[in-house]
Amino acid sequence: MQADIVNALRRGDRRRASMILSNFQNTNWALTKEDFSYILEYCAEAPDPLFVMETLELMEEKAIGLSKGIYRHVIRALSRGGYTKEALHWLNLLGEKESTHATLPFFNIFLNACGSSANLKDVECCLETLENYLLGKSEITYCELLKIAVLQGNRPAIYDIWKDCTRHYSPSIITQRRFLRALTTLGDLHSAYHILQRMVAIATQRSDHLKLSSKGRYQSSRLDIPVLALNESEYLKLLVDCNLQPSQGATGKNSADVQPEIFEEKTHSLETVQLNADLLSTGNNLSDKVELENGSVRYTLRCAQSAVRRFLRWSFSDLIHACVQFSNCQLAEQLFLEMQKLGLQPSKFTYDGFVKSVIAGKGIAYAMKVIEAMERRGIKPYDDTLAALSEGYSKNLQLDLAEDFLERISKIQPKHIRAINALLSGCEIMNEPERAVHILAKMKHVKMKATLRTYEILFSLFGNVNVPYEEGNVLSHADVSKRISIIEMDMLNNELQHSFVSMKNIIRAFGAEGMIEEMLRYLNVAENVLWNINPYQKSDLYSVVLHALVQAKESHKAIRIFKTMRSCILPTDVSIYTTMIECCKWLPCFKSASALLSLMLQDGFHPTVVTYTSLLKVALAKDDFEGALDLLDICKTEGIEPDIQIFNTILSRAYTRGQIHVIEYIVECIRRAKIQPDPSTLSYTFCAYEEHELYNTAIEALQVLSMRMISEDVSILGKKITVFEDLILSEEPDAELRIIRAFEAAEEFLAMALLNLRWCATMGATISWSPEESLWARRLASSYDDNKRPHIIPSEVPQSWERKPYFGVSG
């Protein structure tokens, strides 16, 4: 009959189970105390507290006595089922019945259930009952209190529990591992490391032996004898009164009032060793070559029992994985090397943590050396390890290798979405939408759901103009709208709402495409949907819109948006003011730009070189080269280092207006500022001479500027002259391709400079590796200095501007 009741409970048919239980006296069967114990044991495992109470009522009615086994099942079922008051009542009954240490395991059962709910009031009541009956505490009691402290995120409580436990016990290696895991969970790697040292000492002394329980769990072979009851439980008060949140404990912000140095007592300091690639490359067990000694203690575990060795390996692995979470590569390296010196062969799990830690601390190249050593030992990496490697290569923008490691994952799981997102982000940066499409197809094949981060990347990746479109047109506008609509629909199907980043990427995509109306519509949607964004995020959205409007020459709409920002008192920054100053070039109105500069200074922002570049654009919009050169001088006077962009801004306009003297003056300014020219500098200078039919001068200028683009340092050029000349003067048909392949990835402009020099050589010019000896360079150096302005054609000088500024200084 008891089997029928249990079967009914397993099926969830409590009504039938109750009917069988209540009608057992009308049958030929008589349920004994053992039968009730069997039923209650199932209820404790389920747990099913309601049926327990129903069973107890029937047992009381039939005057069936209660054994300790029944008490155990009842307390376990009630406490695990959430009936803590009833469970405490039964604990009190048990304590009144026989106040002996044999009843302590029942209180441990109750504390175990509290460890799942962290009900501190119940914990306090339980420990008060323990004190009242003078039951003391066992090693298991401390472990249950430890679980509650971890659930709270209360590191000070862990320290006090450890202190009280070690005062009365020499904790077993199992208990010490529990403390180690608790400390690693809350981020105290230092204290966890000292506990690990104690565990190593126990293993070397062979003072702890483990056995398997009937359920296949490891247990210490020592007797768990409870300590005498104390008058006060200081750590309990700290545990109950402390208001720490888990996040605080994890970061260690509130650890100043505790004393983690208690973990350093009676421990032996292991040698701090820096792991290097040479040790990894051997691929052998280092314990065969190196032994570590400290005083009279010899750390070698060759004779230690296998179970203790297993616990040590697990503990090393736990601590190494914690190093990943808290970015402590140095400790992970030290632990990994110590494992091998102790003869503990790292497992897949150990390698997984170590590789992840090395990727974050030393980079993906070093992590690959670990993988190579791992594979030489015949250990295949976890899928999680491969995903971490893929993510590392994605961050390095080595997308081929990132995709290769992603393909090696045997079974893609939802947790690997982080690696996929990293690869998609790399595709966005490198502008490789075709690769991203292939990745998305793989996601669909394995039925992996995209996350919000995935959609944020997709809006940025596919919302921009791609080949064959170079600028926005009707076809590209339709293409962008269709793409964004498809991504949004898929996002809606996955029940995901827009985030600030996804909205920002959509707005930026429409703005880059020149779809102004759609961009402003989404700005309005973002203001309505993202009602909880802070003022700085809202200002960030407006900044994106302002930039797009200025690029699209929509100056009046930009002014309206900026005035809205001012009226709403949204925070501004240098970038926003710089964008609005550049907007003034479309008016054009230098007085408005000056007014904006005054507003910027009033708000406490100092102009940057980008700000002066925007002011230059406003001045040059009316071909005011004198004013532009004045601004360049002011920029230098203010102590702002100019960059190549501010010089190129003047070169661009000077080339358009045929002002060769201005171009030559700016080229000399670039040389004196010791700034390397870029391809735009070369293009404006060369084309200006070429359009005036000064062909020899154009080639000479191109040659000199290409040399400067390689390096201003003659000694650096001298070391590479032979290699460069072989490439420049090579008659091989694929010489240009070799130049591109050799230098394109390494140095941004080196390949282009070498191709320019090769073209000059093809045109018959003699390649000289001393650019300052060029007649053109010497003429520029002698003709222009900081105090002599270039000749500007009078007809090009603008009249004074009388336009009323759009922006008042008062804002």
Side-chain angles (χ1 to χ4, degrees):
M1 182 174 290
Q2 40 95 348
D4 294 336
I5 294 174
V6 170
N7 289 333
L9 290 173
R10 285 174 178 166
R11 295 194 303 269
D13 192 354
R14 185 182 289 112
R15 182 177 180 183
R16 175 168 175 76
S18 299
M19 186 179 300
I20 297 172
L21 184 64
S22 60
N23 295 332
F24 85 96
Q25 67 270 27
N26 300 325
T27 66
N28 295 328
W29 298 91
L31 290 178
T32 63
K33 183 185 294 187
E34 289 72 20
D35 295 327
F36 280 107
S37 179
Y38 179 82
I39 295 170
L40 291 172
E41 182 180 6
Y42 172 79
C43 293
E45 293 295 330
D48 193 338
L50 294 177
F51 198 78
V52 164
M53 290 188 285
E54 185 177 345
T55 304
L56 289 174
E57 289 178 3
L58 188 57
M59 290 177 68
E60 183 180 0
E61 182 181 334
K62 300 299 180 182
I64 297 176
L66 301 177
S67 64
K68 280 192 174 181
I70 290 177
Y71 270 101
R72 179 187 298 273
H73 301 324
V74 170
I75 293 170
R76 182 179 177 83
L78 293 175
S79 57
R80 290 182 62 195
Y83 287 75
T84 54
K85 291 183 179 179
E86 290 78 3
L88 284 170
H89 172 70
W90 279 87
L91 283 174
N92 281 306
L93 290 178
L94 184 62
E96 293 172 358
K97 183 176 180 181
E98 48 178 301
S99 183
T100 65
H101 291 306
T103 60
L104 183 58
F106 298 91
F107 287 85
N108 291 339
I109 290 172
F110 180 82
L111 289 174
N112 179 271
C114 293
S116 302
S117 60
N119 192 326
L120 300 182
K121 290 184 179 180
D122 293 336
V123 175
E124 184 179 15
C125 292
C126 178
L127 292 175
E128 285 179 357
T129 306
L130 276 174
E131 283 192 34
N132 292 337
Y133 293 117
L134 302 177
L135 297 179
K137 298 173 186 66
S138 67
E139 202 167 343
I140 295 177
T141 310
Y142 289 112
C143 291
E144 299 301 343
L145 292 172
L146 179 66
K147 292 179 184 177
I148 298 169
V150 172
L151 197 61
Q152 269 192 284
N154 192 342
R155 272 176 28 186
I158 296 177
Y159 300 143
D160 287 334
I161 294 170
W162 171 265
K163 187 176 180 180
D164 198 50
C165 180
T166 53
R167 183 187 299 139
H168 303 288
Y169 283 100
S170 176
S172 68
I173 196 169
I174 296 177
T175 301
Q176 292 194 45
R177 181 176 183 243
R178 289 173 178 170
F179 274 96
L180 182 145
R181 297 192 70 179
L183 289 166
T184 55
T185 300
L186 300 186
D188 188 356
L189 306 187
H190 177 76
S191 299
Y193 177 67
H194 284 289
I195 288 184
L196 183 60
Q197 290 175 312
R198 294 175 63 109
M199 295 173 68
V200 171
I202 289 176
T204 56
Q205 296 165 6
R206 307 180 209 171
S207 58
D208 203 359
H209 298 277
L210 303 178
K211 63 180 181 179
L212 283 173
S213 67
S214 58
K215 295 183 178 180
R217 297 178 181 176
Y218 281 106
Q219 293 178 338
S220 177
S221 59
R222 301 181 314 183
L223 293 176
D224 188 10
I225 302 174
V227 297
L228 296 176
L230 302 176
N231 293 329
E232 292 185 358
S233 298
E234 295 179 0
Y235 66 86
L236 168 64
K237 293 181 180 179
L238 179 60
L239 185 69
V240 174
D241 296 338
C242 184
N243 293 320
L244 286 177
Q245 297 298 323
S247 59
Q248 292 174 321
T251 57
K253 294 179 181 178
N254 295 283
S255 59
D257 56 341
V258 299
Q259 297 179 348
E261 63 270 12
I262 60 176
F263 292 98
E264 301 181 18
E265 299 175 0
K266 300 179 182 180
T267 60
H268 301 282
S269 175
L270 294 178
E271 182 183 11
T272 301
V273 187
Q274 182 70 22
L275 188 67
N276 55 51
D278 295 335
L279 291 174
L280 284 173
S281 62
T282 60
N284 298 320
N285 192 334
L286 298 183
S287 63
D288 296 333
K289 300 181 179 181
V290 185
E291 290 181 353
L292 184 61
E293 296 186 4
N294 182 16
S296 61
V297 181
R298 181 168 176 161
Y299 290 110
T300 174
L301 305 179
R302 293 173 184 171
C303 299
Q305 54 176 309
S306 59
V308 173
R309 289 165 59 90
R310 191 173 295 115
F311 259 84
L312 275 181
R313 186 169 65 248
W314 292 343
S315 299
F316 270 99
S317 298
D318 290 338
L319 194 47
I320 288 174
H321 271 268
C323 292
V324 180
Q325 183 180 359
F326 297 100
S327 303
N328 195 334
C329 177
Q330 183 178 359
L331 179 59
E333 285 187 295
Q334 181 177 339
L335 290 167
F336 189 80
L337 187 57
E338 287 172 0
M339 280 188 73
Q340 296 192 349
K341 288 188 175 183
L342 293 169
L344 298 172
Q345 188 68 24
S347 64
K348 282 187 181 182
F349 183 70
T350 310
Y351 273 111
D352 179 61
F354 183 56
V355 169
K356 291 175 181 177
S357 180
V358 167
I359 289 173
K362 290 198 168 183
I364 189 67
Y366 192 86
M368 279 307 301
K369 295 179 181 179
V370 180
I371 292 295
E372 290 168 4
M374 179 180 177
E375 291 176 340
R376 280 195 298 270
R377 295 174 182 176
I379 303 175
K380 185 179 179 181
Y382 276 143
D383 284 347
D384 289 358
T385 312
L386 297 174
L389 291 168
S390 175
E391 186 177 351
Y393 277 119
S394 295
K395 291 179 179 179
N396 277 12
L397 301 180
Q398 295 174 272
L399 303 187
D400 289 334
L401 291 171
E403 191 171 3
D404 178 61
F405 275 101
L406 202 60
E407 291 288 342
R408 287 175 58 181
I409 296 176
S410 59
K411 185 178 181 182
I412 294 286
Q413 298 180 22
K415 61 183 176 181
H416 299 142
I417 188 64
R418 180 172 173 176
I420 293 176
N421 286 342
L423 185 50
L424 289 173
S425 181
C427 293
E428 175 197 356
I429 296 171
M430 300 302 292
N431 192 25
E432 294 190 23
E434 296 83 4
R435 189 193 299 270
V437 170
H438 174 68
I439 296 166
L440 293 173
K442 183 175 180 62
M443 286 180 62
K444 185 176 182 181
H445 177 70
V446 298
K447 299 180 180 179
M448 174 178 282
K449 285 188 176 181
T451 62
L452 183 57
R453 175 58 184 158
T454 311
Y455 290 111
E456 290 171 353
I457 298 170
L458 293 182
F459 284 125
S460 179
L461 180 61
F462 294 107
N464 296 326
V465 179
N466 296 299
V467 177
Y469 312 118
E470 294 183 359
E471 294 182 359
N473 53 42
V474 176
L475 293 176
S476 65
H477 289 180
D479 193 16
V480 167
S481 296
K482 183 179 179 181
R483 293 177 184 179
I484 291 178
S485 177
I486 291 173
I487 298 171
E488 276 193 306
M489 184 61 67
D490 194 67
M491 187 176 175
L492 182 63
N493 292 336
N494 284 330
E495 300 179 350
L496 293 174
Q497 299 295 324
H498 272 294
S499 67
F500 163 74
V501 176
S502 65
M503 274 293 188
K504 180 181 176 181
N505 287 346
I506 291 177
I507 291 171
R508 181 185 284 116
F510 280 128
E513 182 65 20
M515 302 171 68
I516 302 302
E517 296 302 324
E518 289 81 357
M519 180 188 69
L520 295 177
R521 180 169 62 85
Y522 266 87
L523 176 63
N524 185 52
V525 171
E527 290 178 324
N528 294 328
V529 174
L530 305 176
W531 53 270
N532 60 338
I533 61 174
N534 60 55
Y536 290 94
Q537 289 177 320
K538 190 172 183 179
S539 177
D540 197 10
L541 290 179
Y542 276 104
S543 178
V544 173
V545 170
L546 286 175
H547 179 76
L549 290 173
V550 172
Q551 291 298 111
K553 304 181 182 180
E554 297 281 358
S555 55
H556 294 284
K557 291 181 179 178
I559 293 169
R560 186 168 65 250
I561 292 291
F562 180 74
K563 289 184 175 180
T564 301
M565 289 184 66
R566 299 281 296 179
S567 63
C568 295
I569 320 179
L570 290 177
T572 53
D573 55 22
V574 175
S575 174
I576 291 174
Y577 277 113
T578 300
T579 301
M580 290 309 301
I581 289 173
E582 185 170 345
C583 175
C584 296
K585 73 180 180 181
W586 303 123
L587 299 175
C589 182
F590 195 82
K591 288 185 178 181
S592 296
S594 301
L596 283 165
L597 184 62
S598 298
L599 287 175
M600 178 178 171
L601 293 171
Q602 285 180 5
D603 285 349
F605 300 110
H606 297 284
T608 64
V609 65
V610 181
T611 310
Y612 278 100
T613 302
S614 296
L615 287 169
L616 278 171
K617 292 178 181 179
V618 180
L620 293 172
K622 280 286 188 176
D623 296 332
D624 184 5
F625 289 99
E626 286 288 351
L629 295 177
D630 287 339
L631 286 170
L632 189 60
D633 291 340
I634 293 172
C635 179
K636 297 176 183 177
T637 304
E638 292 293 327
I640 300 173
E641 293 293 333
D643 60 7
I644 194 61
Q645 295 303 324
I646 194 170
F647 290 117
N648 284 345
T649 300
I650 302 176
L651 288 176
S652 174
R653 193 66 176 181
Y655 159 66
T656 304
R657 295 305 184 193
Q659 296 279 2
I660 290 183
H661 295 294
V662 175
I663 290 176
E664 292 180 341
Y665 176 80
I666 294 299
V667 168
E668 182 61 20
C669 287
I670 293 173
R671 185 190 70 82
R672 298 192 179 195
K674 296 182 179 180
I675 298 174
Q676 285 183 277
D678 67 3
S680 296
T681 313
L682 274 64
S683 175
Y684 298 138
T685 306
F686 176 83
C687 292
Y689 287 123
E690 188 270 336
E691 288 190 4
H692 284 76
E693 299 182 358
L694 302 172
Y695 302 119
N696 291 334
T697 306
I699 293 176
E700 188 176 3
L702 182 63
Q703 181 178 343
V704 170
L705 292 177
S706 295
M707 293 284 188
R708 292 176 182 173
M709 192 161 69
I710 294 174
S711 176
E712 289 282 350
D713 192 339
V714 178
S715 61
I716 294 177
L717 281 174
K719 295 177 183 178
K720 302 178 180 179
I721 285 177
T722 304
V723 177
F724 290 162
E725 281 188 344
D726 289 342
L727 292 170
I728 293 169
L729 304 177
S730 174
E731 296 183 1
E732 298 293 331
D734 62 340
E736 289 84 357
L737 186 60
R738 285 170 54 201
I739 292 174
I740 293 173
R741 287 178 176 175
F743 299 107
E744 187 177 39
E747 298 183 35
E748 188 175 0
F749 300 140
L750 180 55
M752 181 171 290
L754 292 176
L755 289 173
N756 288 337
L757 291 174
R758 179 175 173 80
W759 182 82
C760 291
T762 304
M763 296 301 295
T766 302
I767 303 299
S768 171
W769 293 100
S770 300
E772 305 313 319
E773 296 181 0
S774 162
L775 293 177
W776 176 79
R778 290 162 60 185
R779 178 173 64 81
L780 265 59
S782 61
S783 300
Y784 301 102
D785 56 36
D786 292 337
N787 298 318
K788 185 177 181 180
R789 289 288 180 85
H791 175 70
I792 300 173
I793 301 174
S795 60
E796 297 293 337
V797 178
Q799 300 297 322
S800 60
W801 301 351
E802 301 297 337
R803 183 187 291 265
K804 182 179 179 181
Y806 280 80
F807 309 97
V809 176
S810 62

